[in-house]
Amino acid sequence: MKVSYLWLCEVVNITGVSPDELAERLTRGGLTVDGVAPRVKGVSGVVVGEVVACEQHPNADRLRVCQVNVGQDELLTIVCGAPNVSAGQKVPVAVVGANLPGGKIGKAKLRGIESQGMLCSASEIGLEVKLLPKEQTEGLYILPSDTIVGADVADLLQLNDVVLDIDLTPNRSDCLSIRGLAYEIAALYGRPIRFEPPKRAVTGEGSPVHIEIATDLCSRYDAQVLSGLNDVASPLWMQMRLLTMGVRPINATVDITNYVMLEWGQPLHAFDFDEVRQETIVVRQAHNGEKLVTLDGEERSLTQDMIVISDPDRAIGLAGVMGGENTEVTQKTNRVVLESAAFDAPSVRRTGQRLGLRSEAQQRFEKGIDVVAVRAALNRATELYQQICGASIVGDVASTARTEEPAAESRMVAFSPSRCRELLGAEIADETMQDVFSRLGFHISTSNFSGSDREWDVAVPTRRPDITREADLVEEIARLVGYDEIPSTLPEGATTTGTRTLRQKIHQTTRHILLGAGMTEVFTYSFTHPSQLDRMRLPEDAEYRRMIPIAMPLSDERTVMRTHMLPSLAQIGEYNLSHGNLGGQVFELARVYRPKSLPLTEQPIEETMWAGLWFGEYPVQLGQRPRAFDFYDAKGSIEVWLSAFGLGHRAAFRKTNVPYLHPGRSAEVVVDDIRIGQVGEIYPETAEEMGVAGAVYAEFHLDAIESLLNLRYHVQPLPRFPASLRDLAVVVDQNVAVGDLLYAAKEELSSGTESLLESCNVFDVYRGKGIPESHQSVAFSFIYRATDRTLTDEEVSHLESRVLARWQREFAAVLRS
């Protein structure tokens, strides 16, 4: 938020405090000031001048020779090329020796005529051109006719102001106004505040406007009818303050509402009262599909959860967001009704987000306003309309609230001084705490105000909605006493050593193992587009196609929550390959989102997975030729991961048939008959369309393996007896998966009261001479060991015969001679 230093000086006494010192004190008090900068740098010697005469330059078609009165004894001759210069105007004049943002002004001779200065445009004196109307930026900057000749333009236009850029936290909505900042600065420095609420005499006449509140999302609505408004420009001082705060001046009718909003933090809106039918305003919920053309000229389609301001026939404004074009104040407007209200903050925020609107008023409503300021801001605006626009008050304020009880001006919060000292770890005297609350404008009830061990009742004004409990008051004590005054102390009391849950340990171990296997972790969006699944050859009724739509998507490419991680990782692979990276192996640990029903009626299933992609070529190493990543690179990383969890000997790789994976080069991974994932080469057509030809993809359900392990350490004694090593080679049909042979052998030898198999591995697969056509020879290495004895040949032979018998029954395997 940008704030005018000169405006602050008017409402709180900060004599002797420079802008930089104020910024430092605000920052130490919890309101971070990101920057302090002069509004316009280096403007001096620029005064108000009156163009007395203006004649054509004898030697130039586009130049004028002007005689200008700047309050000196003699008129100045100034040559000007601005298209809008004419006699009788009052404009900024940079006399000889003046400094402008563009440089210093000296005497100059233009086409034979000496020019004694320069008539200035808005940009030449440093005004914010982007916030000015077009007519004020093309040519000279024309000043009001009643401006005093010879006055210093830097003072007149507040060019010597300093702008503080304050980064407010969401809880400090009170500081979105000059009033709130004034109270904050007064508390920090212990200075008096000069912010008096406006007072208005009650006329006793009824208001011509009738107010109805037909929604629980509006707690109060005040309205004042005014007539006889003159269509005039707002005074320079008001325009300059608006520009300094980053608000575009338009005309007095609009500028006054913006000015009061910045001053009080209470948004206001003016409707053309003659366009409000039946002189009745109704605050209600919108009808589904109801249309409203807002002040920006856009037709909006409304929904039932939006609050609208309406007359008996139609909507005339979006509550807290933007008014309607049908009641816009124009030059023909004779009567206006001025609105000041309190709307539900979450509803205003949702309305603005859904319609893509963002305004200064919405920003204040969605963070919470001070209900006490509703009437005060309305009175202040009425006062300014009378002074600037010559408006007349028509009747008293029409006010309606959801409750007949008047809004309380403060809330009581219990506070214990001793508890405050305990929480802060500092010995702060009761008198110091009393002084802090007094500077903040908080009042302490005297009923419980005796002794440091008793609680105080602190009355907190409604302008501080962030203070609702004792801890908030303790924070205020710390802020104003100064965090640097609180000594550093070690924590006391019992402490508990933190630990991770089983799920967290699984995630952490997975990340460490895959990184150790040479993979690179990536992070991608959880948002995608339904068309990304078209390349995966999925059927139209596939469960993956049931995707959760995003209410407000970031872009047209990310409109739904992803149900599969392959498209996200494929985009990583394609990007790397197209930017000169020859290949890589990446993984992501993230979630996919699967709805139980659409549209959503309950929380969707959020499944945590890790997915990997091996694409392109394996890095060249000494003694090795370049080669593409293949299925076994992925399988190796997966086996390392499974072994880290103690699941390597329990896992089996079985053939699978997945539309987006190659049917002969893919497998599902099963542990104890529970499917935990799959791995395989991406189907050629899919891989080609995704830009990762020949890539291998794997995905595993981390939630599924929770029930399979507990991550406790498993220990066993070192072997005391020698192992028996045996090799077996069998001939089987070439369509038999080697993994199925391994799984069957392990399952056969693990049954019974004692498992003597220590390990079983494949060391050779051969097809060719000596092997029947369409068959293959597979050789296995078995290691047997007992924990209490040395195995005999008979025992080992019996184990071998069991394995061979199982293979013969299930796979028609024959022992190779």
Side-chain angles (χ1 to χ4, degrees):
M1 175 183 175
K2 298 186 183 300
V3 181
S4 164
Y5 173 76
L6 292 180
W7 196 351
L8 290 174
C9 289
E10 285 190 11
V11 295
V12 63
N13 180 13
I14 47 177
T15 304
V17 180
S18 70
D20 289 320
E21 292 171 342
L22 177 60
E24 174 65 22
R25 188 69 185 89
L26 285 170
T27 300
R28 286 192 285 115
L31 298 181
T32 304
V33 180
D34 288 339
V36 179
R39 182 182 171 212
V40 178
K41 190 174 182 180
V43 175
S44 62
V46 183
V47 297
V48 177
E50 181 180 8
V51 180
V52 177
C54 180
E55 299 177 353
Q56 178 68 44
H57 194 292
N59 301 320
D61 293 338
R62 297 186 179 182
L63 296 180
R64 302 288 187 275
V65 180
C66 304
Q67 301 300 316
V68 183
N69 175 20
V70 293
Q72 299 178 1
D73 294 338
E74 297 180 358
L75 299 179
L76 300 181
T77 299
I78 298 177
V79 179
C80 178
N84 64 334
V85 63
S86 64
Q89 293 174 334
K90 291 185 177 178
V91 296
V93 180
V95 299
V96 175
N99 289 303
L100 294 175
K104 192 170 184 176
I105 301 299
K107 287 185 178 181
K109 184 172 287 189
L110 300 175
R111 294 292 182 95
I113 296 180
E114 187 176 85
S115 181
Q116 299 172 308
M118 184 175 75
L119 307 186
C120 300
S121 67
S123 62
E124 288 167 338
I125 58 177
L127 290 179
E128 300 85 345
V129 176
K130 64 181 181 180
L131 296 178
L132 290 173
K134 184 179 180 181
E135 60 272 13
Q136 291 183 328
T137 61
E138 297 178 344
L140 299 179
Y141 183 68
I142 310 301
L143 298 170
S145 58
D146 59 352
T147 308
I148 300 174
V149 172
D152 189 335
V153 168
D155 293 334
L156 178 70
L157 301 183
Q158 302 173 23
L159 302 181
N160 52 359
D161 200 355
V162 177
V163 180
L164 281 69
D165 188 0
I166 304 178
D167 184 11
L168 295 177
T169 52
N171 64 314
R172 293 306 303 270
S173 60
D174 58 302
C175 291
L176 283 169
S177 66
I178 294 294
R179 171 182 176 240
L181 284 170
Y183 277 108
E184 181 70 14
I185 294 169
L188 290 171
Y189 284 97
R191 304 283 183 90
I193 195 170
R194 303 166 180 165
F195 203 94
E196 296 294 332
K199 296 180 180 179
R200 253 194 67 195
V202 179
T203 65
E205 301 177 3
S207 174
V209 64
H210 177 64
I211 308 295
E212 296 179 12
I213 298 180
T215 173
D216 293 332
L217 301 182
C218 175
S219 59
R220 181 176 175 180
Y221 194 98
D222 288 2
Q224 175 67 63
V225 178
L226 303 169
S227 66
L229 274 72
N230 296 319
D231 182 29
V232 296
S234 52
L236 277 178
W237 62 266
M238 180 176 286
Q239 291 186 42
M240 293 306 115
R241 285 185 175 175
L242 292 175
L243 285 172
T244 304
M245 304 280 280
V247 177
R248 181 190 304 273
I250 299 175
N251 56 45
T253 306
V254 177
D255 292 352
I256 288 172
T257 58
N258 286 334
Y259 181 84
V260 174
M261 177 184 67
L262 295 175
E263 187 179 52
W264 280 85
Q266 170 63 40
L268 306 171
H269 185 71
F271 299 96
D272 187 332
F273 190 43
D274 292 324
E275 296 297 329
V276 178
R277 297 173 183 174
Q278 300 181 36
E279 297 186 337
T280 299
I281 288 179
V282 181
V283 186
R284 59 171 173 82
Q285 299 297 128
H287 307 306
N288 281 327
E290 186 173 6
K291 305 295 183 181
L292 173 67
V293 179
T294 48
L295 289 174
D296 57 1
E298 295 288 333
E299 184 179 74
R300 313 285 180 178
S301 181
L302 311 182
T303 56
Q304 193 172 3
D305 58 346
M306 300 176 182
I307 316 171
V308 294
I309 312 301
S310 71
D311 57 27
D313 300 331
R314 72 230 162 116
I316 60 175
L318 277 171
V321 180
M322 188 175 289
E325 194 178 70
N326 50 17
T327 53
E328 181 181 6
V329 176
T330 65
Q331 294 179 350
K332 299 179 180 180
T333 300
N334 181 46
R335 296 187 302 167
V336 301
V337 54
L338 192 61
E339 163 198 282
S340 183
F343 301 114
D344 178 67
S347 177
V348 172
R349 179 174 61 254
R350 287 193 299 267
T351 299
Q353 289 176 341
R354 186 164 299 175
L355 297 178
L357 292 171
R358 187 70 179 168
S359 64
E360 291 282 343
Q362 177 191 339
Q363 182 184 8
R364 285 158 176 81
F365 273 121
E366 68 183 20
K367 286 181 168 54
I369 61 168
D370 179 6
V371 293
V372 172
V374 171
R375 178 62 61 86
L378 184 63
N379 290 340
R380 172 62 168 154
T382 301
E383 178 182 82
L384 290 173
Y385 275 116
Q386 290 176 294
Q387 294 173 2
I388 298 171
C389 301
S392 300
I393 298 174
V394 182
D396 287 329
V397 174
S399 181
T400 303
R402 292 297 297 173
T403 175
E404 296 181 359
E405 298 180 2
E409 295 189 1
S410 63
R411 74 180 70 84
M412 303 303 295
V413 180
F415 176 79
S416 168
S418 59
R419 174 67 175 160
C420 177
R421 283 186 281 268
E422 180 182 350
L423 289 173
L424 296 180
E427 288 300 322
I428 301 175
D430 288 5
E431 293 75 13
T432 302
M433 297 184 193
Q434 297 170 36
D435 177 61
V436 167
F437 290 145
S438 176
R439 286 153 53 190
L440 286 167
F442 300 175
H443 300 289
I444 304 173
S445 173
T446 57
S447 59
N448 292 334
F449 188 67
S450 59
S452 59
D453 293 335
R454 301 190 62 182
E455 283 191 349
W456 301 352
D457 289 330
V458 181
V460 180
T462 54
R463 60 180 169 81
R464 291 297 303 273
D466 57 309
I467 298 178
T468 58
R469 53 183 180 169
E470 182 186 47
D472 299 326
L473 292 174
V474 172
E475 183 181 3
E476 295 301 293
I477 297 292
R479 284 197 318 112
L480 270 73
V481 169
Y483 293 113
D484 52 348
E485 296 296 326
I486 299 175
S488 299
T489 57
L490 293 174
E492 298 179 359
T495 58
T496 302
T497 303
T499 185
R500 290 183 173 88
T501 63
L502 175 59
R503 178 169 297 184
Q504 290 171 332
K505 290 178 180 178
I506 291 173
H507 296 176
Q508 183 189 45
T509 302
T510 297
R511 182 173 284 110
H512 288 172
I513 293 301
L514 296 179
L515 290 172
M519 302 187 72
T520 300
E521 185 174 12
V522 296
F523 300 90
T524 64
Y525 283 104
S526 295
F527 310 144
T528 185
H529 192 275
S531 63
Q532 293 290 330
L533 299 181
D534 294 339
R535 299 179 294 182
M536 295 174 60
R537 305 172 65 248
L538 296 171
E540 290 299 323
D541 59 347
E543 190 69 18
Y544 291 119
R545 293 188 181 275
R546 299 180 66 247
M547 310 177 88
I548 303 170
I550 300 171
M552 297 184 65
L554 297 174
S555 67
D556 293 339
E557 297 176 350
R558 309 191 185 280
T559 59
V560 293
M561 304 294 289
R562 68 180 172 194
T563 57
H564 204 285
M565 295 178 67
L566 174 56
S568 301
L569 291 183
Q571 289 177 352
I572 297 289
E574 181 185 29
Y575 181 88
N576 277 270
L577 291 173
S578 63
H579 284 74
N581 193 339
L582 297 179
Q585 41 188 340
V586 299
F587 77 93
E588 181 176 14
L589 200 157
R591 289 179 177 176
V592 292
Y593 304 85
R594 299 193 176 103
K596 297 178 181 177
S597 60
L598 285 175
L600 286 180
T601 57
E602 55 183 322
Q603 189 73 15
I605 300 172
E606 300 182 18
E607 189 172 6
T608 305
M609 308 181 69
W610 81 261
L613 184 73
W614 292 258
F615 61 94
E617 292 185 353
Y618 194 86
V620 178
Q621 295 183 354
L622 184 64
Q624 294 184 5
R625 295 181 179 179
R627 65 173 180 84
F629 282 102
D630 58 23
F631 174 87
Y632 295 102
D633 291 308
K635 186 171 183 286
S637 297
I638 293 167
E639 288 177 335
V640 171
W641 173 68
L642 290 169
S643 298
F645 288 110
L647 300 176
H649 66 289
R650 296 161 58 187
F653 289 76
R654 297 176 178 173
K655 282 187 177 180
T656 186
N657 187 13
V658 180
Y660 51 88
L661 296 181
H662 195 295
R665 301 174 187 175
S666 58
E668 64 177 5
V669 182
V670 178
V671 176
D672 298 346
D673 293 327
I674 298 176
R675 184 180 180 278
I676 64 171
Q678 59 195 18
V679 58
E681 184 177 313
I682 302 175
Y683 193 82
E685 180 182 331
T686 299
E688 194 70 34
E689 290 185 7
M690 289 184 169
V692 287
V696 179
Y697 173 74
E699 63 179 18
F700 288 87
H701 307 265
L702 294 181
D703 298 335
I705 71 169
E706 281 193 54
S707 60
L708 300 174
L709 48 86
N710 56 26
L711 288 188
R712 293 181 178 177
Y713 289 106
H714 299 272
V715 297
Q716 60 185 24
L718 293 172
R720 297 172 55 198
F721 299 93
S724 295
L725 281 67
R726 293 290 179 92
D727 294 341
L728 278 179
V730 292
V731 177
V732 296
D733 189 280
Q734 65 180 11
N735 293 322
V736 174
V738 176
D740 292 342
L741 293 168
L742 271 176
Y743 185 79
K746 291 178 181 179
E747 185 180 53
E748 177 66 29
L749 296 179
S750 64
S751 60
T753 58
E754 182 182 24
S755 177
L756 301 177
L757 179 65
E758 187 171 284
S759 69
C760 176
N761 296 292
V762 179
F763 68 86
D764 182 59
V765 177
Y766 172 72
R767 297 172 188 167
K769 186 178 180 181
I771 304 298
E773 188 176 352
S774 74
H775 282 67
Q776 60 184 343
S777 168
V778 185
F780 298 85
S781 172
F782 292 84
I783 299 178
Y784 305 97
R785 193 193 304 268
T787 59
D788 57 349
R789 68 189 186 280
T790 299
L791 293 176
T792 65
D793 288 343
E794 290 76 10
E795 288 178 303
V796 175
S797 297
H798 176 68
L799 295 174
E800 281 187 339
S801 63
R802 287 173 54 189
V803 172
L804 286 171
R806 175 77 175 263
W807 284 349
Q808 187 174 17
R809 285 196 311 271
E810 296 184 6
F811 308 107
V814 178
L815 184 65
R816 183 179 177 185
S817 59

